[in-house]
Amino acid sequence: MDISYIINELGEDREKYFNAVAPPIIQTSNFVFNTVAEMRSALQDEYRTYLYSRGKNPTVDILAKKLAALDAAEDCLVFNSGAAAIFAAVLANVKTGDHIISVKEPYAWANKMFTEILPKFGVTTTFVDGREIENFKAAKTNNTTVIYLESPNSWSFALQDLKAVAKFANEHSIITICDNSYCTPIYQQPISLGIDLSLQSATKYISGHSDTIAGVLSGSSKMIERIFKSEYNNIGSGIQPFNAWLLLRGLRTLPLRLEKITATTNTVIQYLKSNNKIEEVIFPLDKDFPQYELATKQMSGACGLITIVLKETELSTIEKFCEAFKHFKMAVSWGGHESLVIPRCAGMAIKNFNHQLKEHRMLRLFIGLEDAAYLINDLETAFATIP
Ligand SMILES: *Cc1c(COP(=O)(O)O)cnc(C)c1O
């Protein structure tokens, strides 16, 4: 489907709301019926009717139609966070005694679900280095029902060969779930590569303005309807109409923002690679990236997030460096208009500090919508603090 059509027209029925260009925010909890028969049929099939906004809501529906089309999926659900989308996708496909194979170091809250919550219900997880398909094959047991992927990882950018993993999983009736937050469906479509469920944190690029938390889960109509009728409604974590409206607003400029961020990222990378205070610049579409070939095969682009490893080993100097930025803000998250820096050492306990490891020398930059020269200037200011 044409992306301009998806973003500007799909799902919008303007004659229903005074030909307004921007859709209304249908901020209602419930919907009225004129006959008992109508109400009965709504209660019997909430997936296809407006009954109660924990389930279906017209503003959310406009957004969902667009997001499913962007994912090349039959349908999708929009959640009040990416974490909720992850939880529902996994919970819907496991029962006591089941086994999950997950890529190692997935998103922190996915990791917590695998290591702390699911074991309470007898669901176990094996973490594998997802860069080799053989590792998935070796970890499979007779009870494996889910393979959980995140490609690229949002810190190391480690990739999985999505087509190959999907093929292997399919042969064994294992459900594949892929966190696609890094690429968005603009740069990668896991479902087109054979993955069953694709999810993303819409908080990042879809919103794009650092003002909404949301998540998307896309898949077949059958799977999405099943999750809607169970986990989605039961956890009650569907997106609110106003937040859905903010995402619709963000979506209008998604391709444009990614284009600008991609161009700026490439300029900033050239600067970083020429900087002799940096040991390593990690970016999946850089020719020096170990999985560069796979990245170019399954992703049509990459942008925004860059991990760098400083040569400096002194923690206090690294901290001063991070605090010296004037324009890069120190904060978690990414995908908004503002450029960000997040030092790995901020997530490390000082008492078990090991200066030998390179981990504390790692920082992740997010390139926002500012101009390249403005950002490079800021990087130079910060680098001047390192002797
Ligand atoms: C942010 C993020 C999530 C979680 O999304 P929220 O909207 O914050 O709940 C999941 N996966 C990745 C890779 C993320 O960066």
Side-chain angles (χ1 to χ4, degrees):
M1 216 181 287
D2 190 279
I3 190 161
S4 297
Y5 171 75
I6 296 172
I7 287 178
N8 294 293
E9 279 143 276
L10 180 67
E12 306 194 55
D13 195 353
R14 297 187 167 107
E15 286 181 9
K16 277 197 182 149
Y17 37 84
F18 312 105
N19 289 312
V21 171
I25 305 166
I26 310 287
Q27 189 77 19
T28 188
S29 56
N30 45 357
F31 298 83
V32 174
F33 300 94
N34 293 317
T35 67
V36 175
E38 277 171 20
M39 190 171 194
R40 183 176 296 123
S41 95
L43 283 164
Q44 275 168 2
D45 192 1
E46 226 190 304
Y47 188 59
R48 287 171 188 83
T49 7
Y50 297 124
L51 170 77
Y52 190 59
S53 284
R54 172 150 44 74
K56 289 279 177 181
N57 172 279
T59 309
V60 176
D61 263 0
I62 297 173
L63 175 68
K65 282 192 181 125
K66 291 181 191 293
L67 291 172
L70 285 178
D71 264 327
E74 287 174 5
D75 205 351
C76 79
L77 292 168
V78 193
F79 289 82
N80 224 9
S81 71
I86 293 172
F87 203 82
V90 174
L91 202 61
N93 289 293
V94 291
K95 60 179 188 320
T96 299
D98 284 351
H99 173 250
I100 297 167
I101 304 172
S102 168
V103 285
K104 64 175 192 189
E105 293 169 359
Y107 180 67
W109 290 95
N111 194 54
K112 194 177 171 84
M113 172 186 65
F114 294 134
T115 55
E116 291 183 31
I117 300 178
L118 293 178
K120 290 196 283 191
F121 304 98
V123 177
T124 56
T125 301
T126 303
F127 294 94
V128 299
D129 181 339
R131 291 175 296 182
E132 297 297 333
I133 181 78
E134 298 313 319
N135 297 339
F136 291 97
K137 295 182 179 171
K140 184 192 149 313
T141 71
N142 289 336
N143 302 328
T144 306
T145 54
V146 167
I147 292 182
Y148 186 84
L149 310 167
E150 183 181 322
S151 188
N153 174 283
S154 67
W155 263 93
S156 67
F157 311 127
L159 312 180
Q160 302 94 56
D161 185 332
L162 297 181
K163 222 176 193 169
V165 177
K167 182 170 175 284
F168 163 70
N170 201 25
E171 283 162 8
H172 299 278
S173 305
I174 298 169
I175 298 289
T176 44
I177 303 170
C178 181
D179 184 335
N180 193 36
S181 300
Y182 179 96
C183 277
T184 84
I186 303 289
Y187 285 158
Q188 177 170 269
Q189 293 183 319
I191 288 177
S192 304
L193 298 169
I195 297 295
D196 296 305
L197 287 166
S198 179
L199 64 89
Q200 57 176 319
S201 166
T203 309
K204 314 292 163 52
Y205 289 118
I206 306 287
S207 158
H209 293 74
S210 305
D211 53 12
T212 322
I213 303 279
V216 191
L217 176 64
S218 293
S220 70
S221 303
K222 197 170 154 218
M223 172 78 85
I224 294 298
E225 179 170 354
R226 178 163 75 76
I227 298 175
F228 172 85
K229 288 183 167 165
S230 182
E231 290 76 16
Y232 182 82
N233 257 296
N234 222 321
I235 302 172
S237 51
I239 193 169
Q240 294 295 304
F242 178 64
N243 284 355
W245 186 87
L246 285 173
L247 292 191
L248 278 166
R249 183 177 154 113
L251 259 189
R252 309 285 189 203
T253 56
L254 176 68
L256 204 67
R257 285 185 285 109
L258 289 190
E259 208 178 298
K260 162 87 179 175
I261 294 171
T262 300
T264 312
T265 300
N266 289 334
T267 310
V268 171
I269 285 175
Q270 293 320 309
Y271 163 78
L272 295 170
K273 290 192 82 167
S274 68
N275 186 314
N276 60 15
K277 290 175 182 168
I278 298 177
E279 181 177 289
E280 202 180 340
V281 178
I282 309 171
F283 184 70
L285 285 186
D286 182 74
K287 286 207 169 59
D288 296 331
F289 186 70
Q291 292 179 289
Y292 172 73
E293 218 163 285
L294 176 61
T296 53
K297 200 176 90 183
Q298 67 187 17
M299 294 157 53
S300 59
C303 66
L305 294 181
I306 310 163
T307 297
I308 58 174
V309 183
L310 298 175
K311 286 182 184 161
E312 178 62 46
T313 57
E314 199 53 54
L315 184 62
S316 61
T317 309
I318 295 172
E319 289 182 359
K320 273 201 201 86
F321 167 79
C322 293
E323 291 159 8
F325 285 100
K326 289 198 169 62
H327 305 313
F328 280 87
K329 316 276 184 266
M330 204 190 322
V332 297
S333 197
W334 45 275
H337 54 89
E338 80 289 11
S339 289
L340 300 170
V341 56
I342 175 166
R344 191 84 180 204
C345 65
M348 298 165 81
I350 294 291
K351 65 176 163 50
N352 359 325
F353 220 76
N354 180 352
H355 278 274
Q356 305 308 313
L357 295 177
K358 83 170 180 189
E359 222 189 329
H360 77 286
R361 295 187 279 124
M362 287 172 85
L363 312 166
R364 193 182 70 188
L365 300 173
F366 170 67
I367 305 303
L369 293 173
E370 305 92 333
D371 283 330
Y374 183 77
L375 296 176
I376 290 170
N377 197 291
D378 201 27
L379 284 160
E380 285 192 322
T381 306
F383 273 107
T385 66
I386 301 181

